[in-house]
Amino acid sequence: MSQLSNLAPAAQGILQIAALLIGTLVAWFALGAVRWDVFVKAPESAPARLLRLLFAILIGSGIAGFIVAYGGAVSSIHG
């Protein structure tokens, strides 16, 4: 992530991990609004929850990418 190149590598890693966790958490809550009984046989089963988690990770990584890119853009505007 070149936008964060002026930070130490450890700080970059911490920010990226935090963005991934926040993105996944936001996606998990957003996916709670989906009626899973329409798509899966047993929406409260372990495989259905795993599917929801995998979707949350997939969507959350996109959210995290947006957060990191937005932060990089804001920091480049401020100089």
Side-chain angles (χ1 to χ4, degrees):
M1 303 267 164
S2 63
Q3 297 94 352
L4 300 175
S5 60
N6 58 347
L7 294 177
Q12 288 178 5
I14 290 170
L15 287 175
Q16 289 175 358
I17 289 171
L20 282 169
L21 290 175
I22 290 168
T24 303
L25 185 63
V26 167
W28 176 265
F29 284 122
L31 287 171
V34 175
R35 287 189 49 204
W36 292 102
D37 58 334
V38 175
F39 302 107
V40 295
K41 293 179 185 178
E44 297 300 321
S45 66
R49 289 181 187 258
L50 179 61
L51 180 65
R52 182 178 169 194
L53 176 64
L54 292 174
F55 279 135
I57 291 170
L58 181 68
I59 295 168
S61 65
I63 294 170
F66 173 79
I67 291 170
V68 170
Y70 185 81
V74 168
S75 68
S76 68
I77 289 172
H78 290 294

